[in-house]
Amino acid sequence: MSLYRSWRERALCTVIVSVAPEARVPVLLAGVRDEFVSRPWMSPARHWPDHPGLIGGRDLRAGGTWLAVDPAGRRVAALLNGQGSAAPEDLRRTRGDLPLRAAAAGELPRLDLTAYDPFHLVVGGLDGVRLWSWNGDQVTEDKLPAGVHMIVNSGWERGEDDPRVALFRPRFAAAARPARMGSGSIRRFWGEWLPPASGDGLPLNDPRALVFRRVLDGGQIFASLSITLVALADEGVRYDFCPVPGDPTSWHQVETG
């Protein structure tokens, strides 16, 4: 197994979702993307002519994305690598097209999943949040109940075996959620959600860290490359992005108009 494949399978990407059906802002999502720093990418924009209504960061190697937002449909789709059996080399397709397809459709479309390596796909909308998980052999679907949930590469963590989950799920659950949509500053809108989404100041080498950085044998660096915050409501979509985790000045609001 190559070094690249080994670390991709053990990647630490994380998605935090808060579901409150009766709230004015019923769905909140925070996503931390972890990747080799040498893999090129572009910040969120409308990068895909085939999906002109979708916004997301673009992976320049494979052309897809790790998270896509459909402002008109009030939807978000986020992808994490999963665990299980890899797709055959001669059939493999990039998983980066899955968030685009799902954000456009509002669900995981009917596809030949045997062409995809294992994944977890989170799709949120005003009708709730669902999670599809594919392990290379079978696919499962769950609808997330009201509350705060964390999805990591081992799946939907109902327990606290993962140190990130044990530390951060209670912190997000205790944080006051945005009460209503608005175009104010990121700090004002997200309030108590912003510090934990930014890593809460934990050292990058802490095993509980949501935002991390590791130098591997051979000098390659595997690290958290970006953080995304998305809020969905009847009034619209709020999309904020941090391209330099650890630098709070890099947070900016993504235009969804």
Side-chain angles (χ1 to χ4, degrees):
M1 178 181 292
S2 70
L3 175 68
Y4 177 80
R5 168 83 41 158
S6 174
W7 273 89
R8 288 290 283 171
E9 290 184 352
R10 290 186 288 160
L12 302 176
C13 295
T14 311
V15 170
I16 302 98
V17 181
S18 177
V19 183
E22 303 304 318
R24 187 166 175 179
V25 185
V27 176
L28 305 175
L29 182 145
V32 180
R33 182 195 182 216
D34 304 325
E35 183 56 89
F36 284 100
V37 299
S38 59
R39 184 160 182 147
W41 57 282
M42 297 175 67
S43 286
R46 299 179 189 273
H47 293 295
W48 300 276
D50 291 345
H51 298 284
L54 302 185
I55 304 171
R58 185 168 184 259
D59 172 44
L60 294 179
R61 178 175 294 174
T65 187
W66 55 95
L67 185 148
V69 171
D70 177 3
R74 311 291 197 268
R75 287 192 293 267
V76 59
L79 178 77
L80 300 87
N81 294 343
Q83 298 176 350
S85 302
E89 290 283 353
D90 59 334
L91 297 177
R92 179 173 294 119
R93 298 186 57 174
T94 175
R95 288 169 289 193
D97 69 343
L98 294 172
L100 297 171
R101 293 172 178 265
E107 61 183 358
L108 175 66
R110 292 185 177 275
L111 297 166
D112 178 8
L113 295 182
T114 60
Y116 295 91
D117 285 344
F119 63 81
H120 304 289
L121 183 67
V122 182
V123 181
L126 298 183
D127 58 348
V129 180
R130 287 180 287 173
L131 170 67
W132 284 267
S133 296
W134 165 249
N135 65 5
D137 179 56
Q138 61 181 359
V139 63
T140 60
E141 178 185 352
D142 291 288
K143 184 164 185 177
L144 304 189
V148 173
H149 311 278
M150 288 184 68
I151 300 96
V152 295
N153 295 93
S154 57
W156 178 19
E157 293 288 339
R158 297 177 174 86
E160 296 184 347
D161 293 336
D162 188 298
R164 288 168 295 164
V165 176
L167 178 64
F168 278 95
R169 185 167 60 188
R171 293 193 180 186
F172 278 100
R177 63 190 298 114
R180 58 190 177 89
M181 298 297 283
S183 58
S185 72
I186 294 168
R187 183 175 299 277
R188 175 172 294 184
F189 178 80
W190 288 100
E192 294 180 7
W193 262 62
L194 190 59
S198 301
D200 250 355
L202 265 67
L204 298 180
N205 60 353
D206 191 308
R208 304 169 299 168
L210 193 64
V211 175
F212 85 110
R213 181 181 179 90
R214 292 180 186 168
V215 180
L216 310 181
D217 294 341
Q220 291 196 71
I221 300 173
F222 194 79
S224 301
L225 299 189
S226 66
I227 309 168
T228 301
L229 284 167
V230 176
L232 305 179
D234 283 329
E235 297 98 311
V237 174
R238 171 87 189 213
Y239 185 175
D240 293 292
F241 188 72
C242 177
V244 187
D247 178 3
T249 66
S250 71
W251 276 104
H252 61 275
Q253 185 173 357
V254 177
E255 174 57 52
T256 60

